[in-house]
Amino acid sequence: MKKSSLALSLFMTLSPLAAFAATAPLDLVGPVSDYKIYVTEQIGELVTQTQAFTDAVKKGDLATARKLYAPTRVHYESIEPIAELFSDLDASIDSRVDDHENGVKADDFTGFHRLEYSLFAEHTTQGLDALADGLNKDVKDLQTRVDGLTFPPEKVVGGAAALLEEVAATKISGEEDRYSHTDLYDFQGNIDGAKKIVDLFRGQIDKQDKQFLVKVDKNFATVDKILAKYKTQGGGFETYDKVKENDRKALVGPVNTLAEDLSTLRGKLGLN
């Protein structure tokens, strides 16, 4: 018997989850492959739209740059669990001012939120060419790295909870897009990304816990209903300062419950 086969046999003997864990890799191949297709498509949109966004910045077209900021970033938000596997790029693309000791003047404060500060707080595109070029370079680098990445199933499945935890931690408070108040775009990106993961693994989850899916779907529907109130005719969202306090509070429960429930997903699929 090969060493790997012996180890698997021993694991199956000792682990109560072994029977499921032994078959899980084959069951997960399809959903993981489909998720990589989804991520690849989202990054393709991110690259294309970042080019348009930074072109507007470099042309000095403040109105267009501000208009394109949130719809561009939403593609990053939807695939954040994979993007965060590359911590150097995540820092340069998506760090917030709080992450930098010298604040907005820090040399290493780059990416979307640094541009957001100038566009929405300073109302200018002046002096942003290098930052715009750097962001373009970084998203293209991300695309290249993801193309060559083998997606770890546990990271994919765990990403659903990570996205909802992101919403609970920084979206409901309004701290992430503090200059543009475009938090609802990010909120929708995180929700869509998490729901995509659940949908791709729906068949596998259903075999383990049908009631779990019923509960999760109900909470997703509640969040979607609240977000729908603030959608604009063009498919975008109102600024976050227009979200009523009772709706912010109404989001807390289902978002936290979703984060808690989805944190058990890896265990249900034998990936802990």
Side-chain angles (χ1 to χ4, degrees):
M1 182 182 288
K2 290 183 179 179
K3 192 172 182 180
S4 60
S5 298
L6 179 60
L8 178 60
S9 177
L10 181 61
F11 176 74
M12 290 176 68
T13 302
L14 297 177
S15 172
L17 295 174
F20 181 76
T23 57
L26 289 177
D27 290 341
L28 299 174
V29 168
V32 170
S33 297
D34 288 342
Y35 185 66
K36 183 167 185 177
I37 292 170
Y38 168 75
V39 171
T40 300
E41 289 172 347
Q42 290 296 310
I43 294 180
E45 287 296 320
L46 176 68
V47 168
T48 299
Q49 293 186 33
T50 297
Q51 184 69 63
F53 167 61
T54 54
D55 281 350
V57 171
K58 293 176 70 173
K59 288 175 183 175
D61 187 345
L62 178 63
T64 298
R66 287 168 59 132
K67 182 180 178 182
L68 294 178
Y69 168 76
T72 299
R73 243 179 66 76
V74 73
H75 298 290
Y76 190 86
E77 291 292 319
S78 66
I79 52 98
E80 209 159 12
I82 297 301
E84 287 179 347
L85 293 176
F86 307 103
S87 58
D88 59 329
L89 288 179
D90 186 51
S92 61
I93 292 171
D94 199 43
S95 65
R96 300 199 302 274
V97 66
D98 310 32
D99 300 323
H100 303 275
E101 187 176 347
N102 294 323
V104 294
K105 302 302 180 185
D107 290 338
D108 60 347
F109 182 27
T110 60
F112 279 112
H113 291 303
R114 176 59 185 85
L115 290 167
E116 178 200 7
Y117 171 73
S118 286
L119 296 175
F120 292 91
E122 296 186 309
H123 309 287
T124 184
T125 59
Q126 296 299 308
L128 299 180
D129 285 14
L131 287 165
D133 289 340
L135 178 58
N136 255 320
K137 178 179 178 295
D138 287 338
V139 296
K140 288 175 183 175
D141 190 4
L142 177 64
Q143 185 178 47
T144 299
R145 294 196 204 182
V146 169
D147 281 346
L149 179 68
T150 299
F151 281 32
E154 67 278 6
K155 289 290 185 183
V156 174
V157 173
L163 283 163
L164 269 300
E165 287 161 6
E166 174 87 0
V167 172
T170 67
K171 302 300 187 298
I172 292 177
S173 66
E175 71 180 69
E176 180 149 357
D177 290 300
R178 65 192 69 181
Y179 311 116
S180 61
H181 304 297
T182 54
D183 304 84
L184 290 180
Y185 286 85
D186 292 0
F187 204 131
Q188 188 71 68
N190 289 156
I191 295 294
D192 287 347
K195 193 170 187 302
K196 184 68 174 181
I197 293 169
V198 171
D199 286 343
L200 288 174
F201 291 88
R202 184 168 291 272
Q204 289 75 18
I205 302 167
D206 186 63
K207 292 177 184 177
Q208 301 301 312
D209 193 340
K210 292 180 184 294
Q211 287 306 115
F212 172 85
L213 274 178
V214 171
K215 184 181 179 185
V216 165
D217 287 343
K218 182 179 178 181
N219 280 311
F220 271 127
T222 299
V223 173
D224 285 340
K225 185 176 180 180
I226 295 173
L227 288 180
K229 290 173 155 187
Y230 297 96
K231 285 189 175 179
T232 59
Q233 281 191 332
F237 287 96
E238 301 279 4
T239 52
Y240 195 58
D241 53 315
K242 294 181 180 177
V243 177
K244 296 175 182 176
E245 188 61 30
N246 63 325
D247 280 334
R248 294 192 190 199
K249 290 178 180 178
L251 285 167
V252 172
V255 166
N256 284 333
T257 300
L258 277 167
E260 291 169 6
D261 286 346
L262 294 178
S263 70
T264 69
L265 202 49
R266 289 198 309 179
K268 290 181 185 299
L269 297 179
L271 291 170
N272 279 340

